[in-house]
């Protein structure tokens, strides 16, 4: 089951420039500890996804994900170079191979009770931003016909992620394509300084609920996205449109978002939904 994780403010453990205390010249270091996504039906909120982050002496040591299907709490292992080599809760384990000269992973493997579920291959540009991730499933989840997913990411000259492309290969070897364009507002993404976006990208995909991993690589907070159906790289109809309104706290940090989404089915029927996102920080 796939849920949009409308979070975004992206990837989590960031340090926020400009997070200061009045009358104090020294900057306060702020990190995201909780991101919550709730479906809003006439003011009644239902949890869709919650991510939590635990730090020890300033280093991210645990990542939690809770959605409508499962809950995991993954502990992180690092190598001497500061790259994550494994995350595990004893049942789900994701192992990483760090890229040469980088703390970002070049590949990863997820296992469930010791059985391989998916493998991942990642490619980065010269600025160490993810340009491609290919997930190949060894075990096909229930209620899906997708055997592999390939995401590619296009950045502008300033390193801003503009387009995310997804090609899904089905069990019968046919492919389904979609492309998403992002538009941003002026707020800085809380995860812009997060050191391990590759880790969170893989973890999110391993949970089978994250369909827009490019959000972990965004530098500013989203204002709108549009997702198009495509075929052989040529766009056709708009599949989904979402707009975001933001709330900030007294220090100018992103504290909440309201996401209004309109989805159009293959038959032309439209549905609307509203989600509320909340962000909690630890500042020292």
């Amino acid at each position: 089951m796939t849920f949009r994780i409308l979070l975004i403010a992206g990837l989590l453990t960031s340090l926020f420039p400009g997070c200061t205390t009045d009358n104090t010249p020294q900057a306060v270091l702020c990190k995201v500890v909780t991101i919550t996504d709730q479906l809003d039906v006439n003011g009644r909120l239902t949890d869709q996804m919650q991510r939590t982050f635990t730090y020890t002496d300033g280093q991210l040591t645990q990542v939690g994900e809770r959605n409508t299907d499962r809950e995991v709490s993954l502990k992180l292992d690092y190598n001497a170079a500061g790259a994550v080599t494994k995350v595990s809760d004893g049942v789900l384990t994701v192992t990483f191979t760090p890229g040469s000269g980088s703390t970002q992973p070049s590949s990863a493997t997820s296992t469930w009770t010791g059985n391989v579920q998916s493998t991942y291959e990642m490619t980065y540009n010269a600025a160490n931003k993810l340009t491609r991730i290919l997930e190949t499933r060894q075990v096909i989840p229930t209620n899906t016909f997708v055997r592999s997913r390939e995401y590619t990411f296009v950045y502008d000259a300033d390193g801003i992620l503009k387009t995310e492309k997804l090609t899904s290969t089905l069990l019968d070897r046919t492919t389904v394509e979609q492309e998403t364009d992002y538009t941003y507002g002026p707020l800085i993404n809380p995860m812009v300084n997060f050191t391990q976006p590759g880790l969170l990208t893989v973890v999110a995909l391993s949970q089978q609920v994250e369909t827009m991993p490019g959000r972990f690589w965004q530098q500013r907070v989203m204002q709108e996205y549009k997702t198009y159906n495509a075929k052989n790289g040529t766009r056709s109809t708009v599949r989904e449109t979402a707009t975001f309104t933001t709330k900030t706290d007294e220090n100018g940090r992103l504290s909440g978002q309201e996401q209004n989404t309109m989805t159009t089915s293959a038959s032309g029927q439209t549905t609307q939904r509203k989600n509320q996102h909340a962000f909690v920080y630890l500042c020292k």
Side-chain angles (χ1 to χ4, degrees):
M1 179 179 296
T2 298
F3 294 93
R4 295 212 183 267
I5 305 195
L6 323 174
L7 17 109
I8 269 41
L11 222 310
L12 320 167
T13 183
S14 329
L15 303 179
F16 293 82
C19 177
T20 59
T21 302
D22 289 345
N23 303 318
T24 303
Q26 184 177 4
V28 176
L29 301 182
C30 298
K31 299 181 180 182
V32 177
V33 292
T34 305
I35 297 177
T36 303
D37 170 29
Q38 296 178 300
L39 182 66
D40 185 338
V41 180
N42 298 322
R44 181 177 180 179
L45 300 179
T46 303
D47 286 351
Q48 297 286 286
M49 164 66 79
Q50 184 180 72
R51 284 196 172 99
T52 58
F53 307 90
T54 301
Y55 306 88
T56 303
D57 296 327
Q59 183 180 59
L60 180 68
T61 54
Q62 191 165 305
V63 175
E65 285 202 7
R66 177 171 58 83
N67 58 61
T68 54
D69 289 331
R70 64 174 68 165
E71 181 174 358
V72 298
S73 184
L74 302 168
K75 294 183 179 180
L76 282 64
D77 292 340
Y78 292 85
N79 64 14
V84 176
T85 57
K86 184 177 74 173
V87 298
S88 179
D89 68 351
V91 178
L92 172 66
T93 298
V94 184
T95 56
F96 297 90
T97 301
S100 177
S102 171
T103 58
Q104 300 302 325
S106 60
S107 63
T109 300
S110 65
T111 62
W112 186 263
T113 62
N115 298 310
V116 175
Q117 302 296 299
S118 293
T119 59
Y120 305 86
E121 300 174 12
M122 286 84 88
T123 305
Y124 304 87
N125 61 19
N128 213 26
K129 293 180 180 293
L130 186 68
T131 56
R132 174 182 177 267
I133 181 168
L134 171 65
E135 176 194 25
T136 303
R137 290 171 168 169
Q138 309 302 311
V139 176
I140 308 300
T142 56
N143 56 353
T144 183
F145 299 104
V146 177
R147 62 182 299 146
S148 69
R149 295 184 288 180
E150 181 180 37
Y151 294 86
T152 57
F153 308 97
V154 178
Y155 301 84
D156 66 14
D158 296 320
I160 304 297
L161 178 62
K162 301 299 293 182
T163 302
E164 173 180 315
K165 301 179 181 181
L166 167 62
T167 300
S168 300
T169 301
L170 308 183
L171 292 175
D172 62 2
R173 306 288 180 175
T174 60
T175 60
V176 177
E177 301 175 35
Q178 67 181 48
E179 298 186 5
T180 300
D181 286 343
Y182 295 115
T183 303
Y184 304 98
L187 287 177
I188 297 297
N189 189 317
M191 318 206 27
V192 70
N193 293 324
F194 183 65
T195 58
Q196 293 289 347
L199 157 71
L200 285 181
T201 302
V202 173
V203 167
L205 291 176
S206 75
Q207 297 303 297
Q208 301 154 17
V209 294
E210 173 67 61
T211 59
M212 301 175 74
R215 293 176 174 184
F216 295 128
W217 299 84
Q218 294 173 339
Q219 293 185 302
R220 297 202 299 268
V221 175
M222 267 196 295
Q223 192 172 58
E224 180 183 45
Y225 73 73
K226 289 186 177 181
T227 298
Y228 300 84
N229 294 313
K231 185 65 176 178
N232 297 324
T234 300
R235 295 178 179 182
S236 55
T237 56
V238 176
R239 178 177 179 174
E240 186 167 278
T241 298
T243 56
F244 298 81
T245 57
T246 59
K247 297 178 182 178
T248 58
D249 63 18
E250 65 276 10
N251 294 305
R253 292 184 301 264
L254 180 69
S255 60
Q257 282 181 312
E258 179 179 288
Q259 177 176 348
N260 288 279
T261 307
M262 177 177 290
T263 303
T264 304
S265 68
S267 63
Q269 183 178 4
T270 60
T271 58
Q272 292 182 297
R273 69 178 185 274
K274 181 165 67 173
N275 288 70
Q276 301 288 347
H277 313 295
F279 305 84
V280 177
Y281 303 90
L282 173 66
C283 296
K284 291 185 177 181

